mmCIF file of all heavy atoms in Angstrom:
data_model
loop_
_atom_site.group_PDB
_atom_site.id
_atom_site.type_symbol
_atom_site.label_atom_id
_atom_site.label_comp_id
_atom_site.label_asym_id
_atom_site.label_seq_id
_atom_site.Cartn_x
_atom_site.Cartn_y
_atom_site.Cartn_z
ATOM 1 N N GLY X 1 -18.388 -28.541 40.995
ATOM 2 C CA GLY X 1 -17.147 -27.934 41.459
ATOM 3 C C GLY X 1 -16.610 -28.519 42.745
ATOM 4 O O GLY X 1 -15.401 -28.553 42.969
ATOM 5 N N PHE X 2 -17.526 -28.962 43.618
ATOM 6 C CA PHE X 2 -17.126 -29.573 44.887
ATOM 7 C C PHE X 2 -17.894 -30.871 45.082
ATOM 8 O O PHE X 2 -19.044 -30.993 44.643
ATOM 9 C CB PHE X 2 -17.440 -28.638 46.072
ATOM 10 C CG PHE X 2 -16.579 -27.422 46.159
ATOM 11 C CD1 PHE X 2 -17.027 -26.198 45.664
ATOM 12 C CD2 PHE X 2 -15.311 -27.476 46.740
ATOM 13 C CE1 PHE X 2 -16.232 -25.065 45.744
ATOM 14 C CE2 PHE X 2 -14.517 -26.339 46.821
ATOM 15 C CZ PHE X 2 -14.975 -25.139 46.325
ATOM 16 N N ALA X 3 -17.267 -31.829 45.740
ATOM 17 C CA ALA X 3 -17.931 -33.091 46.048
ATOM 18 C C ALA X 3 -17.661 -33.461 47.503
ATOM 19 O O ALA X 3 -16.536 -33.327 47.991
ATOM 20 C CB ALA X 3 -17.435 -34.204 45.132
ATOM 21 N N ASP X 4 -18.726 -33.915 48.156
ATOM 22 C CA ASP X 4 -18.608 -34.404 49.533
ATOM 23 C C ASP X 4 -19.217 -35.807 49.555
ATOM 24 O O ASP X 4 -20.350 -36.002 49.980
ATOM 25 C CB ASP X 4 -19.339 -33.460 50.487
ATOM 26 C CG ASP X 4 -19.309 -33.952 51.931
ATOM 27 O OD1 ASP X 4 -18.307 -34.596 52.305
ATOM 28 O OD2 ASP X 4 -20.274 -33.717 52.666
ATOM 29 N N LEU X 5 -18.463 -36.764 49.042
ATOM 30 C CA LEU X 5 -18.954 -38.132 48.896
ATOM 31 C C LEU X 5 -18.104 -39.093 49.724
ATOM 32 O O LEU X 5 -17.423 -39.966 49.187
ATOM 33 C CB LEU X 5 -18.960 -38.535 47.418
ATOM 34 C CG LEU X 5 -19.914 -37.734 46.513
ATOM 35 C CD1 LEU X 5 -19.827 -38.222 45.077
ATOM 36 C CD2 LEU X 5 -21.352 -37.827 47.019
ATOM 37 N N ASP X 6 -18.171 -38.901 51.028
ATOM 38 C CA ASP X 6 -17.397 -39.753 51.929
ATOM 39 C C ASP X 6 -18.279 -40.606 52.837
ATOM 40 O O ASP X 6 -17.795 -41.261 53.749
ATOM 41 C CB ASP X 6 -16.440 -38.917 52.785
ATOM 42 C CG ASP X 6 -17.180 -37.949 53.712
ATOM 43 O OD1 ASP X 6 -18.400 -37.759 53.539
ATOM 44 O OD2 ASP X 6 -16.534 -37.375 54.608
ATOM 45 N N GLY X 7 -19.603 -40.590 52.571
ATOM 46 C CA GLY X 7 -20.524 -41.296 53.458
ATOM 47 C C GLY X 7 -20.232 -42.772 53.605
ATOM 48 O O GLY X 7 -20.361 -43.348 54.686
ATOM 49 N N ASN X 8 -19.810 -43.415 52.516
ATOM 50 C CA ASN X 8 -19.504 -44.845 52.570
ATOM 51 C C ASN X 8 -18.224 -45.139 53.340
ATOM 52 O O ASN X 8 -18.003 -46.268 53.798
ATOM 53 C CB ASN X 8 -19.392 -45.410 51.154
ATOM 54 C CG ASN X 8 -18.302 -44.734 50.339
ATOM 55 O OD1 ASN X 8 -18.114 -43.518 50.422
ATOM 56 N ND2 ASN X 8 -17.575 -45.500 49.548
ATOM 57 N N LEU X 9 -17.397 -44.139 53.501
ATOM 58 C CA LEU X 9 -16.138 -44.322 54.222
ATOM 59 C C LEU X 9 -16.327 -44.199 55.730
ATOM 60 O O LEU X 9 -15.394 -44.469 56.497
ATOM 61 C CB LEU X 9 -15.103 -43.292 53.748
ATOM 62 C CG LEU X 9 -14.832 -43.263 52.240
ATOM 63 C CD1 LEU X 9 -13.854 -42.143 51.904
ATOM 64 C CD2 LEU X 9 -14.305 -44.606 51.754
ATOM 65 N N LEU X 10 -17.519 -43.797 56.131
ATOM 66 C CA LEU X 10 -17.793 -43.554 57.543
ATOM 67 C C LEU X 10 -18.639 -44.661 58.176
ATOM 68 O O LEU X 10 -19.085 -44.528 59.310
ATOM 69 C CB LEU X 10 -18.506 -42.205 57.712
ATOM 70 C CG LEU X 10 -17.772 -40.995 57.118
ATOM 71 C CD1 LEU X 10 -18.635 -39.745 57.213
ATOM 72 C CD2 LEU X 10 -16.442 -40.769 57.818
ATOM 73 N N ILE X 11 -18.850 -45.753 57.431
ATOM 74 C CA ILE X 11 -19.606 -46.881 57.968
ATOM 75 C C ILE X 11 -18.742 -48.149 57.939
ATOM 76 O O ILE X 11 -17.811 -48.261 57.146
ATOM 77 C CB ILE X 11 -20.914 -47.119 57.191
ATOM 78 C CG1 ILE X 11 -20.629 -47.458 55.726
ATOM 79 C CG2 ILE X 11 -21.818 -45.904 57.291
ATOM 80 C CD1 ILE X 11 -21.884 -47.834 54.945
ATOM 81 N N ALA X 12 -19.085 -49.105 58.785
ATOM 82 C CA ALA X 12 -18.305 -50.340 58.888
ATOM 83 C C ALA X 12 -18.990 -51.524 58.212
ATOM 84 O O ALA X 12 -18.395 -52.601 58.107
ATOM 85 C CB ALA X 12 -18.050 -50.672 60.366
ATOM 86 N N ASN X 13 -20.237 -51.346 57.752
ATOM 87 C CA ASN X 13 -20.995 -52.471 57.211
ATOM 88 C C ASN X 13 -21.443 -52.233 55.771
ATOM 89 O O ASN X 13 -22.562 -52.586 55.386
ATOM 90 C CB ASN X 13 -22.208 -52.758 58.096
ATOM 91 C CG ASN X 13 -23.152 -51.562 58.196
ATOM 92 O OD1 ASN X 13 -22.755 -50.428 57.923
ATOM 93 N ND2 ASN X 13 -24.394 -51.804 58.582
ATOM 94 N N ASP X 14 -20.586 -51.642 54.963
ATOM 95 C CA ASP X 14 -20.904 -51.387 53.561
ATOM 96 C C ASP X 14 -21.073 -52.726 52.833
ATOM 97 O O ASP X 14 -20.188 -53.576 52.875
ATOM 98 C CB ASP X 14 -19.783 -50.568 52.916
ATOM 99 C CG ASP X 14 -20.194 -49.942 51.600
ATOM 100 O OD1 ASP X 14 -21.274 -50.282 51.092
ATOM 101 O OD2 ASP X 14 -19.429 -49.113 51.078
ATOM 102 N N ARG X 15 -22.210 -52.896 52.152
ATOM 103 C CA ARG X 15 -22.491 -54.148 51.451
ATOM 104 C C ARG X 15 -22.182 -54.073 49.962
ATOM 105 O O ARG X 15 -22.477 -55.023 49.228
ATOM 106 C CB ARG X 15 -23.968 -54.527 51.625
ATOM 107 C CG ARG X 15 -24.401 -54.766 53.073
ATOM 108 C CD ARG X 15 -23.612 -55.917 53.685
ATOM 109 N NE ARG X 15 -24.061 -56.209 55.038
ATOM 110 C CZ ARG X 15 -25.009 -57.089 55.357
ATOM 111 N NH1 ARG X 15 -25.620 -57.752 54.403
ATOM 112 N NH2 ARG X 15 -25.343 -57.313 56.609
ATOM 113 N N PHE X 16 -21.606 -52.956 49.517
ATOM 114 C CA PHE X 16 -21.375 -52.766 48.091
ATOM 115 C C PHE X 16 -19.961 -52.257 47.813
ATOM 116 O O PHE X 16 -19.310 -51.692 48.680
ATOM 117 C CB PHE X 16 -22.388 -51.771 47.513
ATOM 118 C CG PHE X 16 -23.812 -52.172 47.723
ATOM 119 C CD1 PHE X 16 -24.517 -51.735 48.834
ATOM 120 C CD2 PHE X 16 -24.453 -52.995 46.808
ATOM 121 C CE1 PHE X 16 -25.837 -52.110 49.032
ATOM 122 C CE2 PHE X 16 -25.779 -53.364 47.000
ATOM 123 C CZ PHE X 16 -26.465 -52.931 48.119
ATOM 124 N N LYS X 17 -19.553 -52.460 46.564
ATOM 125 C CA LYS X 17 -18.297 -51.901 46.075
ATOM 126 C C LYS X 17 -18.615 -51.144 44.801
ATOM 127 O O LYS X 17 -19.309 -51.649 43.921
ATOM 128 C CB LYS X 17 -17.281 -53.009 45.794
ATOM 129 C CG LYS X 17 -15.953 -52.515 45.228
ATOM 130 C CD LYS X 17 -15.000 -53.673 45.015
ATOM 131 C CE LYS X 17 -13.714 -53.227 44.310
ATOM 132 N NZ LYS X 17 -12.968 -52.244 45.097
ATOM 133 N N GLY X 18 -18.141 -49.919 44.718
ATOM 134 C CA GLY X 18 -18.448 -49.104 43.544
ATOM 135 C C GLY X 18 -17.430 -48.000 43.383
ATOM 136 O O GLY X 18 -16.236 -48.255 43.239
ATOM 137 N N MET X 19 -17.901 -46.767 43.422
ATOM 138 C CA MET X 19 -16.993 -45.626 43.356
ATOM 139 C C MET X 19 -15.924 -45.743 44.437
ATOM 140 O O MET X 19 -16.213 -46.120 45.566
ATOM 141 C CB MET X 19 -17.790 -44.332 43.552
ATOM 142 C CG MET X 19 -16.957 -43.057 43.500
ATOM 143 S SD MET X 19 -16.140 -42.604 45.066
ATOM 144 C CE MET X 19 -17.496 -41.927 45.990
ATOM 145 N N GLU X 20 -14.685 -45.416 44.076
ATOM 146 C CA GLU X 20 -13.602 -45.450 45.042
ATOM 147 C C GLU X 20 -12.916 -44.091 45.098
ATOM 148 O O GLU X 20 -13.010 -43.292 44.164
ATOM 149 C CB GLU X 20 -12.584 -46.535 44.681
ATOM 150 C CG GLU X 20 -13.150 -47.948 44.738
ATOM 151 C CD GLU X 20 -12.089 -48.994 44.448
ATOM 152 O OE1 GLU X 20 -11.169 -48.708 43.649
ATOM 153 O OE2 GLU X 20 -12.181 -50.098 45.013
ATOM 154 N N VAL X 21 -12.240 -43.854 46.200
ATOM 155 C CA VAL X 21 -11.434 -42.642 46.341
ATOM 156 C C VAL X 21 -9.977 -43.046 46.225
ATOM 157 O O VAL X 21 -9.461 -43.809 47.048
ATOM 158 C CB VAL X 21 -11.696 -41.951 47.687
ATOM 159 C CG1 VAL X 21 -10.816 -40.703 47.812
ATOM 160 C CG2 VAL X 21 -13.163 -41.573 47.813
ATOM 161 N N VAL X 22 -9.324 -42.568 45.175
ATOM 162 C CA VAL X 22 -7.922 -42.909 44.917
ATOM 163 C C VAL X 22 -7.097 -41.636 44.984
ATOM 164 O O VAL X 22 -7.314 -40.710 44.210
ATOM 165 C CB VAL X 22 -7.754 -43.578 43.537
ATOM 166 C CG1 VAL X 22 -6.285 -43.913 43.296
ATOM 167 C CG2 VAL X 22 -8.618 -44.832 43.447
ATOM 168 N N LYS X 23 -6.198 -41.593 45.940
ATOM 169 C CA LYS X 23 -5.392 -40.395 46.178
ATOM 170 C C LYS X 23 -6.290 -39.163 46.332
ATOM 171 O O LYS X 23 -5.996 -38.087 45.810
ATOM 172 C CB LYS X 23 -4.376 -40.184 45.054
ATOM 173 C CG LYS X 23 -3.328 -41.284 44.965
ATOM 174 C CD LYS X 23 -2.315 -41.019 43.865
ATOM 175 C CE LYS X 23 -1.261 -42.133 43.824
ATOM 176 N NZ LYS X 23 -0.278 -41.917 42.732
ATOM 177 N N GLY X 24 -7.391 -39.360 47.037
ATOM 178 C CA GLY X 24 -8.302 -38.268 47.335
ATOM 179 C C GLY X 24 -9.311 -37.947 46.259
ATOM 180 O O GLY X 24 -10.231 -37.165 46.475
ATOM 181 N N LYS X 25 -9.180 -38.569 45.079
ATOM 182 C CA LYS X 25 -10.013 -38.226 43.925
ATOM 183 C C LYS X 25 -11.095 -39.282 43.696
ATOM 184 O O LYS X 25 -10.847 -40.478 43.835
ATOM 185 C CB LYS X 25 -9.128 -38.097 42.677
ATOM 186 C CG LYS X 25 -9.811 -37.544 41.455
ATOM 187 C CD LYS X 25 -8.781 -37.372 40.326
ATOM 188 C CE LYS X 25 -9.409 -36.708 39.103
ATOM 189 N NZ LYS X 25 -10.443 -37.532 38.466
ATOM 190 N N ILE X 26 -12.291 -38.840 43.335
ATOM 191 C CA ILE X 26 -13.375 -39.748 42.986
ATOM 192 C C ILE X 26 -12.998 -40.510 41.730
ATOM 193 O O ILE X 26 -12.623 -39.921 40.715
ATOM 194 C CB ILE X 26 -14.679 -38.977 42.762
ATOM 195 C CG1 ILE X 26 -15.154 -38.352 44.082
ATOM 196 C CG2 ILE X 26 -15.756 -39.869 42.166
ATOM 197 C CD1 ILE X 26 -16.302 -37.394 43.925
ATOM 198 N N THR X 27 -13.077 -41.838 41.806
ATOM 199 C CA THR X 27 -12.714 -42.695 40.682
ATOM 200 C C THR X 27 -13.894 -43.598 40.358
ATOM 201 O O THR X 27 -14.307 -44.417 41.183
ATOM 202 C CB THR X 27 -11.474 -43.543 41.021
ATOM 203 O OG1 THR X 27 -10.404 -42.676 41.424
ATOM 204 C CG2 THR X 27 -11.032 -44.354 39.817
ATOM 205 N N LEU X 28 -14.443 -43.443 39.157
ATOM 206 C CA LEU X 28 -15.605 -44.217 38.737
ATOM 207 C C LEU X 28 -15.170 -45.507 38.055
ATOM 208 O O LEU X 28 -14.275 -45.498 37.217
ATOM 209 C CB LEU X 28 -16.465 -43.384 37.789
ATOM 210 C CG LEU X 28 -17.020 -42.087 38.382
ATOM 211 C CD1 LEU X 28 -17.697 -41.257 37.296
ATOM 212 C CD2 LEU X 28 -18.002 -42.401 39.487
ATOM 213 N N PRO X 29 -15.800 -46.633 38.380
ATOM 214 C CA PRO X 29 -15.417 -47.922 37.813
ATOM 215 C C PRO X 29 -15.922 -48.097 36.380
ATOM 216 O O PRO X 29 -16.893 -47.442 35.972
ATOM 217 C CB PRO X 29 -16.077 -48.933 38.753
ATOM 218 C CG PRO X 29 -17.276 -48.208 39.273
ATOM 219 C CD PRO X 29 -16.861 -46.761 39.395
ATOM 220 N N ASP X 30 -15.292 -48.980 35.616
ATOM 221 C CA ASP X 30 -15.726 -49.291 34.257
ATOM 222 C C ASP X 30 -16.687 -50.473 34.287
ATOM 223 O O ASP X 30 -16.381 -51.578 33.853
ATOM 224 C CB ASP X 30 -14.514 -49.621 33.374
ATOM 225 C CG ASP X 30 -13.649 -48.406 33.096
ATOM 226 O OD1 ASP X 30 -14.223 -47.357 32.789
ATOM 227 O OD2 ASP X 30 -12.428 -48.524 33.203
ATOM 228 N N LEU X 31 -17.878 -50.220 34.838
ATOM 229 C CA LEU X 31 -18.894 -51.246 34.941
ATOM 230 C C LEU X 31 -20.225 -50.679 34.457
ATOM 231 O O LEU X 31 -20.407 -49.459 34.405
ATOM 232 C CB LEU X 31 -19.038 -51.709 36.403
ATOM 233 C CG LEU X 31 -17.849 -52.467 37.004
ATOM 234 C CD1 LEU X 31 -18.065 -52.676 38.502
ATOM 235 C CD2 LEU X 31 -17.667 -53.809 36.306
ATOM 236 N N PRO X 32 -21.192 -51.536 34.109
ATOM 237 C CA PRO X 32 -22.503 -51.031 33.644
ATOM 238 C C PRO X 32 -23.229 -50.271 34.743
ATOM 239 O O PRO X 32 -22.948 -50.433 35.940
ATOM 240 C CB PRO X 32 -23.245 -52.321 33.278
ATOM 241 C CG PRO X 32 -22.191 -53.357 33.085
ATOM 242 C CD PRO X 32 -21.091 -52.998 34.024
ATOM 243 N N GLY X 33 -24.211 -49.463 34.327
ATOM 244 C CA GLY X 33 -25.041 -48.746 35.286
ATOM 245 C C GLY X 33 -24.228 -47.788 36.146
ATOM 246 O O GLY X 33 -23.379 -47.051 35.640
ATOM 247 N N ILE X 34 -24.465 -47.817 37.449
ATOM 248 C CA ILE X 34 -23.719 -46.941 38.348
ATOM 249 C C ILE X 34 -22.434 -47.598 38.843
ATOM 250 O O ILE X 34 -21.742 -47.057 39.694
ATOM 251 C CB ILE X 34 -24.585 -46.484 39.549
ATOM 252 C CG1 ILE X 34 -25.064 -47.685 40.375
ATOM 253 C CG2 ILE X 34 -25.763 -45.649 39.070
ATOM 254 C CD1 ILE X 34 -25.768 -47.287 41.656
ATOM 255 N N GLY X 35 -22.122 -48.780 38.302
ATOM 256 C CA GLY X 35 -20.839 -49.404 38.597
ATOM 257 C C GLY X 35 -20.730 -50.028 39.964
ATOM 258 O O GLY X 35 -19.657 -50.001 40.576
ATOM 259 N N VAL X 36 -21.830 -50.614 40.450
ATOM 260 C CA VAL X 36 -21.841 -51.176 41.800
ATOM 261 C C VAL X 36 -21.962 -52.691 41.755
ATOM 262 O O VAL X 36 -22.723 -53.254 40.942
ATOM 263 C CB VAL X 36 -23.020 -50.592 42.607
ATOM 264 C CG1 VAL X 36 -23.223 -51.351 43.907
ATOM 265 C CG2 VAL X 36 -22.764 -49.125 42.916
ATOM 266 N N VAL X 37 -21.220 -53.366 42.612
ATOM 267 C CA VAL X 37 -21.368 -54.808 42.800
ATOM 268 C C VAL X 37 -21.558 -55.089 44.288
ATOM 269 O O VAL X 37 -21.061 -54.348 45.147
ATOM 270 C CB VAL X 37 -20.137 -55.590 42.277
ATOM 271 C CG1 VAL X 37 -20.012 -55.447 40.773
ATOM 272 C CG2 VAL X 37 -18.860 -55.126 42.966
ATOM 273 N N LYS X 38 -22.305 -56.146 44.589
ATOM 274 C CA LYS X 38 -22.536 -56.515 45.978
ATOM 275 C C LYS X 38 -21.371 -57.325 46.507
ATOM 276 O O LYS X 38 -20.803 -58.163 45.802
ATOM 277 C CB LYS X 38 -23.836 -57.313 46.095
ATOM 278 C CG LYS X 38 -24.283 -57.529 47.533
ATOM 279 C CD LYS X 38 -25.642 -58.197 47.597
ATOM 280 C CE LYS X 38 -26.074 -58.395 49.037
ATOM 281 N NZ LYS X 38 -27.420 -59.036 49.120
#
């Protein structure tokens, strides 16, 4: 019902790209696994 997934937005040295926040909403990528790339 609620999500607090902003931890990656609070750091300056993120080494990955994955879930994004689009217009405030969690947006999951169309990639295998958890959808993360380095």
Side-chain angles (χ1 to χ4, degrees):
F2 290 98
D4 177 32
L5 296 180
D6 63 348
N8 60 321
L9 305 177
L10 304 174
I11 62 174
N13 60 340
D14 196 350
R15 299 299 183 91
F16 303 92
K17 178 179 174 62
M19 180 276 283
E20 296 183 327
V21 179
V22 180
K23 295 182 179 178
K25 189 176 185 295
I26 294 171
T27 305
L28 299 172
D30 290 315
L31 293 172
I34 60 173
V36 169
V37 295
K38 190 174 180 179

